Amino acid sequence: MVTRVLVTGAAGFIGGHVTRALLAAGHDVTALDAGHPAAHRGAPPATVGDVPVRAADLRDAGAVRDALTGVDAVVHQAAMVGMGVDLDDLPEYVGCNDLGTAVLLAQMARAGVRRMVLASSMVVYGEGGYACAAHGPVRPEPRRTADLEAGRFEPTCPRCAADLTPTLVDEEARLEPRSVYAATKLAQEHLCAVWTAACPGSVVALRYHNVYGPGMPRDTPYSGVAAIFRSALADGRAPRVFEDGRQRRDFVHVTDVAAANVAALAAGRPGFRAYNVASGSPTTIGAVATALARTTGGPAPEVTGGFRAGDVRHVVASPARAAAELGFRAAVDPATGLTDFAAAPLRP
Ligand code: UD1
């Protein structure tokens, strides 16, 4: 069935892929983007997949109201992402991500648009899952600076301080945001959950794991590590791997993220429900750096032993719920996808 969809953040890295996938699936797309300087160094593209991009900030209620005319559902990708620079970024994160979402939800309710697919993030979990041999599943405390400075990167059992085994994080895990960005993504989820009950409406929240792929922006304080490593290699510099490089993540290809959005739109289940969007094949940051360096023929990674305040150690996803309920399974294995990404164009 053809759905008339408003895509927010349509000119961005993920939003662009989502827009093109929705068009390819036969949907009718209206594209909106604020062209935020954290995401775009210059002017954002005027069109995505031949659809003109309306330039508007979600905090502009009038512009949002106009963009919702004739729309059945919203696929909400617009957000300020990443670690940011410092706490001076805080108001803009909250403004873009939470006030923007609040304005969008209010205007959707007024316009009778009751369905949303929300771009959420695995950052809502904080640390991933862990098990202690003696105490079973546990949630470790944030790592102490003194431990990190001493090269003790693995979180320990909050009850007995023993070493832990990382486990798959599923959607029922406790949510514990550990950065400003993470707090704003969780607030988006909470606003959406309240909205679905009040409307009543439907929101499918897709918790993206570490997204990479062609068209990823070059490195900025708001970029993910894959773009940072690629940008370093493109400049002839070695990728700088923090900690000991053994921290684990799930790298999911942007075309799979786009496919998950198409599947979520089709699901249209009532109420609020969250899903991990992941490849199901976790890897270490050191292995990603090595694969990219080897494929580009660039300098070998430098494992610095340094660390970023607030970083989590391992986040490894269970993709089971998205497979069972949305029929979504990632098609691109990171071993292949990261090799291709080494040669893919970055966005300037
Ligand atoms: C990332 C994104 C987050 C997104 C989430 C899920 C950023 C900054 N983070 O969180 O927005 O929601 O994935 O898709 O965009 N690292 C290095 N060298 C570097 C930079 C980072 O070794 O130059 C390490 C970090 O210390 C960390 C790992 O790489 O251990 C991943 O970092 P990052 O890409 O920022 O991702 P997440 O924190 O996992």
Side-chain angles (χ1 to χ4, degrees):
M1 197 183 83
V2 176
T3 305
R4 294 170 301 175
V5 191
L6 172 65
V7 180
T8 71
F13 161 52
I14 299 176
H17 281 274
V18 169
T19 298
R20 288 186 288 273
L22 289 167
L23 291 169
H27 298 300
D28 183 357
V29 177
T30 301
L32 193 77
D33 201 292
H36 197 285
H40 300 271
R41 273 175 221 245
T47 57
V48 176
D50 289 339
V51 174
V53 178
R54 293 173 179 233
D57 192 302
L58 288 178
R59 290 167 282 188
D60 178 347
V64 172
R65 185 192 58 225
D66 292 348
L68 285 167
T69 306
V71 157
D72 306 310
V74 174
V75 174
H76 181 24
Q77 308 291 320
M80 202 167 148
V81 302
M83 291 287 281
V85 180
D86 56 31
L87 287 179
D88 281 344
D89 277 338
L90 210 159
E92 190 63 2
Y93 269 105
V94 173
C96 289
N97 297 358
D98 297 335
L99 180 55
T101 299
V103 172
L104 177 60
L105 291 170
Q107 292 300 324
M108 286 173 68
R110 276 185 173 226
V113 181
R114 301 272 189 261
R115 290 166 58 199
M116 178 189 278
V117 179
L118 170 69
S120 186
S121 170
M122 59 62 153
V123 291
V124 297
Y125 297 121
E127 280 287 354
Y130 291 87
C132 170
H135 297 106
V138 291
R139 296 306 304 266
E141 298 293 319
R143 297 177 295 170
R144 295 184 314 150
T145 305
D147 286 333
L148 295 167
E149 283 174 349
R152 290 189 293 272
F153 300 120
E154 293 294 339
T156 52
C157 177
R159 295 176 62 186
C160 68
D163 291 344
L164 298 173
T165 307
T167 58
L168 298 184
V169 67
D170 68 24
E171 293 82 353
E172 298 306 315
R174 192 175 75 194
L175 303 179
E176 198 181 350
R178 295 198 177 167
S179 69
V180 169
Y181 169 61
T184 64
K185 292 311 278 187
L186 184 54
Q188 283 187 329
E189 286 199 3
H190 285 157
L191 290 171
C192 285
V194 170
W195 179 88
T196 57
C199 259
S202 154
V203 175
V204 176
L206 300 177
R207 292 179 181 157
Y208 302 162
H209 285 252
N210 295 65
V211 185
Y212 71 98
M216 208 171 174
R218 287 183 66 89
D219 60 337
T220 71
Y222 309 94
S223 301
V225 70
I228 294 173
F229 288 168
R230 264 299 314 278
S231 302
L233 288 161
D235 296 344
R237 290 180 283 114
R240 288 171 58 80
V241 178
F242 300 149
E243 305 184 19
D244 56 5
R246 289 194 210 110
Q247 60 273 42
R248 296 169 83 220
R249 295 289 191 280
D250 187 308
F251 283 79
V252 58
H253 198 268
V254 67
T255 53
D256 281 325
V257 172
N261 275 272
V262 175
L265 185 68
R269 60 192 321 291
F272 177 90
R273 187 101 166 137
Y275 298 88
N276 283 330
V277 174
S279 73
S281 301
T283 182
T284 65
I285 298 300
V288 170
T290 301
L292 293 176
R294 190 177 297 141
T295 312
T296 54
E302 184 191 331
V303 180
T304 68
F307 59 90
R308 291 191 314 201
D311 261 353
V312 296
R313 179 66 174 168
H314 306 291
V315 192
V316 180
S318 166
R321 181 187 281 182
E325 297 182 16
L326 302 179
F328 166 74
R329 282 178 192 78
V332 183
D333 186 77
T336 320
L338 286 164
T339 306
D340 293 347
F341 176 62
L346 295 176
R347 206 174 68 196

